[in-house]
Amino acid sequence: MTHPADGTAPASPGAHPSGAGGAYQPGLSGAEVAERIARGQVNDVPARSSRSVREIVRANVFTRFNAIIGVMFGIILVVGPLQDGLFGLVIVANTAIGIIQELRAKKTLDSLALIGEARPQVRREGAAVQVATGEIVLDDTVLLGIGDKVVVDGTVTEADGLEIDESLLTGEPDPVLKHPGDHVMSGSFVVAGAGAFTATKVGKEAYAAKLAEEASRFTLVKSELRSGIDQILRIITYLLIPTALGLIVSQLAVQRNDWQEAVRRMVAGIVPMVPEGLVLLTSVAFAIGVIRLGRKQCLVQELPAIEGLARVDTVCLDKTGTLTEGGMDLVDLRPLTAEDGARARIAEALGAIGTADSRPNPSMRAVIDAYPAPEEGRWRVLEAIPFSSARKWSGVQLLEPGGTEGSWLLGAPDVLLPPGHPALAEVDELGAKGLRVLLLGRSPLPLDAPDPASQLEPLALLVLQQRLREDAADTLRYFRSQDVRAKVISGDSAVSVGAVAAHLGLPGADTATDARTLPTDPGQLAEVADRTAVFGRVTPQQKRALVGALQSKGHTVAMTGDGVNDVLALKDADIGVAMGTGSDATRAVAQIVLLDDRFSTLPSVVAEGRRVIGNIERVAGLFLVKTVYSVLLALLVVFTQVPYPFLPRHSTVLSSLTIGIPAFFLALAPNNERARTGFVRRVLRLAVPGGIICGTATFVAYALARADHETALKADTSVATLTLFISAIWVLAIVARPYSWWRILLIGVMAGAFALVLVVPFLSDFFQLQLVGWRDPLIGVAIAGIAGCLLEITSRVFVERKEQEADATA
């Protein structure tokens, strides 16, 4: 059977093909279609390529961070002035970055799904009509031609050499010859022949739809940075309410009847406790990383996904579509005859045979690639029979250079050779290595003879292997150099998978395991999964179980794949990586999509993630130092019943110049440090003692300034601001090490900017900063100098020594 999908038009719409196997089905009538639609027996599976816009917006707006800062911003809007609410812009920026990035990813995925949308043909009332996938109903007769997708499950009713590629479902690369009565599953596609099938399962009942439905719930990637920051925010939330109550009571007592000033001072004490800049900077750093990866055709659906892959210690790889491409390579030609010039003659014959096949399968394509067509006129094709899975060989009758005629057959050695032939031992040896072997022979009998292979003269063995991705070996070597273990998990035979893995130099490839022998006990499965590198004949459920088993052993697991059979494992893995040309379902559940299918992009993702993690961890100490000194200052103010030393605008200028702006540049610097667990523990080594030192120094300078009753609160606040700036810029100097010219310049520019705030009248009035006299400012500078010395000691004792111990342990 032929139809427009395979490039030729049928004689009449829906006409039964001559010679096709199976009974002709005229298809459903219009009334029968309407009846099934009314009963809901229609293929109405909603397309799900990504999260909905509503889900994306809700996930980015309703966060703990936005709730805390939003409440504080709302209070400032009530009591004013607006310049004390500048911190509220962080909410807008942070939320916008997350939403815009995910919407960009969604747009890309939706366009990929639209481009790949199938438009199948069905036969209704004897005529072939093209319908949308969602319009197919139960019992529809669906027509198939070369290249067509099988969009629902069904039973074959007509077949004319119909071969179905089910690799996206089973991982098995060889096409399956289908006969009337055989089942076909959604997610497969036609590679040869034509036919028709009756739809037996539509909608959510279809095989591919069931897998996609099971994996349809979008799960966020695990992020230690995000969870660590959320943990810090959770602790801060518990501190906010009692601290806020204490501050408001103390400030009302101090400010008497000026409740608005009391509320402003309370907000000024609360807002710095929240590391709002850290949340924003993390989003910015991830977004820039996503943009960089986007230039390499790597789509990151979630911002923290690049961090997740940087922390991965085990990568599970699907062979078909990940390590191999959709084709074969001819790696060896072994003549079976000792005649002079046999190799040259065989090569010319193979070139001529290749010209006779208008639709070559992967094996014949490998022959064509290896042997170009001979000079015109030397060989002439008289007749040709294409390859058939039932026959297991193809044939071409050639007019040879000497004027003789012969039938040249190319196919399975065990079919073309008699049992016990010496060449079969060599074939078995090569097959045990996962290689595919074809026999080339010549027969004096014509192709239309009852058995043209009966007088076949074996001439050569053609050794083929699945085409490996050019970048696969280098990528696996990179993972090995980074202590990331690679495991190949495939639905293909264990021998074939092991051969591919061995060719790529994967350690442990010589002990490939057939998944049909795997234990069902979770504990035993975890042990086998941990020590084994290659698995074959793995079902979709077993792929998922293997990922879970590795996770139970404490591994952070990434899974790559392109087929429907990979969906469940991709969803359960810590990081799912899908190929851009893979199924819609895999792209929907994966966090990272390689749009150009280049496996070699993964090292770039790992490197980008490590840059982001290392730099965010470096600057996180800056933000948490502010959190600690803010909590300490708030408690000291509550207990001493004095006006809070700062307004929100003071916190804004301090945070911007000592943390926000410099942290942005530090977060974009190169960084090749390996990702390690324990983010919160490490940053607190500097944050806690550093924050205590800065907060204590600031309050002492503030208290001494207040002891001078001749100065106003504005002057006392200015001294406290100066002391805290010097202490905080010292922390920045510690974090920025090792120094380079631009880091030194960065620190200098921040110090110069603060000096401008103090001396430029407009800025000093806007931020309400004014130093009065010399004594109090000099005392503040001296106290800040002492704090700096203590910070240096703390850095060496609590940070550098711990880092050296950790490196020694590693």
Side-chain angles (χ1 to χ4, degrees):
M1 183 185 70
T2 57
H3 64 83
D6 62 15
T8 57
S12 60
H16 181 52
S18 175
Y24 173 76
Q25 300 289 333
L28 300 176
S29 66
E32 290 172 326
V33 171
E35 179 186 353
R36 283 161 175 76
I37 293 175
R39 290 203 301 257
Q41 296 173 330
V42 63
N43 192 47
D44 59 347
V45 179
R48 181 185 179 88
S49 60
S50 56
R51 284 204 285 183
S52 68
V53 174
R54 182 178 179 181
E55 290 172 329
I56 291 172
V57 172
R58 184 171 63 243
N60 285 278
V61 171
F62 298 105
T63 64
R64 185 189 303 272
F65 167 75
N66 285 356
I68 297 172
I69 298 298
V71 170
M72 296 296 106
F73 181 68
I75 293 174
I76 288 298
L77 288 180
V78 174
V79 301
L82 191 58
Q83 56 261 44
D84 282 332
L86 295 176
F87 62 86
L89 296 176
V90 176
I91 299 176
V92 179
N94 185 59
T95 303
I97 289 172
I99 291 176
I100 291 171
Q101 166 55 29
E102 289 202 40
L103 288 178
R104 287 178 65 248
K106 174 181 172 58
K107 181 180 178 181
T108 303
L109 287 176
D110 288 348
S111 64
L112 286 174
L114 187 62
I115 291 171
E117 185 177 4
R119 295 281 298 178
Q121 280 194 340
V122 298
R123 189 186 294 133
R124 291 177 179 172
E125 297 181 337
V129 294
Q130 194 172 57
V131 298
T133 301
E135 296 175 357
I136 294 178
V137 300
L138 190 68
D139 299 326
D140 249 334
T141 298
V142 184
L143 309 182
L144 294 175
I146 293 177
D148 286 351
K149 289 182 179 179
V150 179
V151 293
V152 294
D153 295 1
T155 301
V156 176
T157 55
E158 305 167 27
D160 182 11
L162 180 64
E163 296 184 23
I164 303 289
D165 186 324
E166 298 179 344
S167 61
L168 292 181
L169 301 174
T170 65
E172 174 62 59
D174 293 330
V176 179
L177 181 67
K178 296 292 184 179
H179 302 91
D182 290 344
H183 294 291
V184 291
M185 295 186 292
S186 53
S188 56
F189 58 94
V190 180
V191 294
F197 70 93
T198 299
T200 58
K201 291 183 179 180
V202 296
K204 296 181 179 180
E205 295 300 315
Y207 178 76
K210 282 184 176 180
L211 287 179
E213 178 68 20
E214 191 172 351
S216 63
R217 184 169 153 267
F218 194 96
T219 54
L220 292 172
V221 61
K222 296 177 183 177
S223 165
E224 186 176 347
L225 284 180
R226 183 173 57 190
S227 60
I229 293 171
D230 197 54
Q231 180 184 352
I232 293 168
L233 290 175
R234 188 164 54 250
I235 296 171
I236 292 171
T237 304
Y238 299 144
L239 294 174
L240 282 180
I241 296 177
T243 305
L245 292 175
L247 276 175
I248 194 68
V249 170
S250 68
Q251 297 309 291
L252 282 173
V254 172
Q255 300 294 337
R256 307 293 180 185
N257 296 324
D258 192 352
W259 69 270
Q260 291 177 319
E261 181 69 11
V263 170
R264 279 194 291 271
R265 298 276 171 175
M266 180 272 291
V267 172
I270 293 298
V271 169
M273 294 170 58
V274 183
E276 77 279 4
L278 178 58
V279 178
L280 175 60
L281 185 64
T282 302
S283 295
V284 171
F286 278 141
I288 291 175
V290 167
I291 292 171
R292 288 177 174 175
L293 292 173
R295 294 171 183 158
K296 299 182 179 180
Q297 294 298 298
C298 175
L299 175 66
V300 181
Q301 296 206 60
E302 296 178 68
L303 293 180
I306 53 178
E307 175 208 345
L309 191 54
R311 295 191 187 279
V312 160
D313 61 16
T314 304
V315 178
C316 295
L317 309 166
D318 177 50
K319 176 183 70 67
T320 307
T322 302
L323 299 178
T324 62
E325 296 179 338
M328 306 286 290
D329 284 321
L330 182 62
V331 295
D332 194 12
L333 176 67
R334 301 188 177 187
L336 298 177
T337 175
E339 294 179 10
D340 293 338
R343 179 177 288 272
R345 181 167 178 262
I346 290 170
E348 280 196 338
L350 287 172
I353 291 170
T355 63
D357 199 334
S358 59
R359 287 197 180 121
N361 59 23
S363 299
M364 182 57 71
R365 172 56 60 188
V367 173
I368 295 172
D369 291 341
Y371 298 102
E375 294 180 13
E376 189 173 353
R378 281 184 56 79
W379 300 75
R380 187 154 64 92
V381 177
L382 302 177
E383 187 180 352
I385 296 178
F387 178 82
S388 164
S389 294
R391 203 170 39 240
K392 297 293 185 182
W393 54 264
S394 63
V396 179
Q397 191 168 345
L398 296 172
L399 179 61
E400 300 162 346
T404 58
E405 293 184 14
S407 296
W408 294 71
L409 307 185
L410 183 66
D414 57 335
V415 173
L416 294 174
L417 294 175
H421 192 282
L424 290 177
E426 187 175 1
V427 170
D428 292 339
E429 181 182 343
L430 292 168
K433 297 178 181 178
L435 299 170
R436 178 171 298 179
V437 183
L438 298 178
L439 175 77
L440 175 68
R442 182 185 182 280
S443 172
L445 301 177
L447 288 178
D448 56 3
D451 184 10
S454 60
Q455 298 183 29
L456 188 73
E457 175 191 1
L459 295 177
L461 295 178
L462 282 67
V463 184
L464 301 98
Q465 70 174 11
Q466 292 183 48
R467 182 170 298 162
L468 304 177
R469 291 187 178 273
E470 294 179 358
D471 50 17
D474 290 339
T475 305
L476 290 180
R477 278 194 293 272
Y478 171 82
F479 282 130
R480 191 158 61 248
S481 70
Q482 299 298 315
D483 294 330
V484 177
R485 298 192 304 169
K487 295 182 180 291
V488 183
I489 301 177
S490 173
D492 200 357
S493 69
V495 172
S496 176
V497 180
V500 169
H503 191 79
L504 293 172
L506 182 69
D510 55 337
T511 56
T513 297
D514 191 316
R516 292 171 292 190
T517 65
L518 289 175
T520 56
D521 178 73
Q524 295 177 1
L525 180 62
E527 292 296 329
V528 174
D530 196 32
R531 67 172 182 263
T532 306
V534 179
F535 298 88
R537 298 300 182 198
V538 186
T539 65
Q541 289 72 23
Q542 283 181 315
K543 285 190 177 185
R544 185 185 207 177
L546 285 170
V547 168
L550 290 167
Q551 290 171 327
S552 71
K553 297 290 286 185
H555 296 294
T556 303
V557 181
M559 176 74 197
T560 70
D562 65 342
V564 176
N565 62 316
D566 302 317
V567 167
L568 300 179
L570 282 170
K571 177 178 178 291
D572 282 4
D574 296 288
I575 294 291
V577 181
M579 299 297 170
T581 57
S583 68
D584 295 343
T586 57
R587 295 197 300 264
V589 301
Q591 288 84 22
I592 295 174
V593 181
L594 305 180
L595 298 177
D596 58 358
D597 290 359
R598 290 186 64 85
F599 185 43
S600 58
T601 306
L602 286 184
S604 299
V605 180
V606 173
E608 189 64 33
R610 289 182 173 178
R611 184 192 65 78
V612 171
I613 294 171
N615 287 334
I616 292 298
E617 186 170 311
R618 175 190 291 271
V619 302
L622 291 174
F623 293 97
L624 297 184
V625 163
K626 184 191 72 167
T627 297
V628 174
Y629 71 61
S630 299
V631 172
L632 179 60
L633 285 173
L635 294 176
L636 289 172
V637 165
V638 170
F639 291 134
T640 58
Q641 295 290 296
V642 296
Y644 191 79
F646 306 117
L647 288 171
R649 69 194 74 173
H650 300 138
S651 299
T652 298
V653 70
L654 284 168
S655 298
S656 299
L657 297 180
T658 64
I659 304 171
I661 296 174
F664 176 79
F665 289 98
L666 292 175
L668 299 182
N671 194 323
N672 296 320
E673 295 178 10
R674 289 188 180 182
R676 295 177 294 167
T677 58
F679 161 72
V680 175
R681 183 181 66 253
R682 283 194 300 276
V683 297
L684 290 181
R685 289 177 189 159
L686 174 65
V688 173
I692 292 173
I693 292 170
C694 292
T696 302
T698 302
F699 192 80
V700 169
Y702 176 60
L704 291 176
R706 280 188 55 78
D708 185 356
H709 298 293
E710 296 180 1
T711 58
L713 178 58
K714 182 177 179 180
D716 301 338
T717 292
S718 300
V719 171
T721 304
L722 176 64
T723 305
L724 183 53
F725 176 82
I726 297 173
S727 302
I729 206 77
W730 207 305
V731 175
L732 172 62
I734 292 173
V735 170
R737 294 168 184 162
Y739 294 132
S740 60
W741 68 268
W742 68 268
R743 294 176 194 260
I744 296 173
L745 178 63
L746 178 65
I747 297 171
V749 170
M750 295 300 102
F754 183 73
L756 289 176
V757 171
L758 292 178
V759 301
V760 175
F762 166 73
L763 294 175
S764 61
D765 291 341
F766 182 85
F767 288 106
Q768 289 193 18
L769 291 174
Q770 183 180 5
L771 295 173
V772 178
W774 293 98
R775 191 194 69 172
D776 290 343
L778 287 176
I779 291 175
V781 171
I783 292 173
I786 296 172
C789 294
L790 293 174
L791 286 169
E792 290 290 346
I793 296 172
T794 300
S795 173
R796 284 167 170 74
V797 172
F798 289 96
V799 181
E800 294 181 9
R801 184 179 299 175
K802 292 291 184 181
E803 294 295 331
Q804 292 171 359
E805 292 175 359
D807 292 340
T809 302

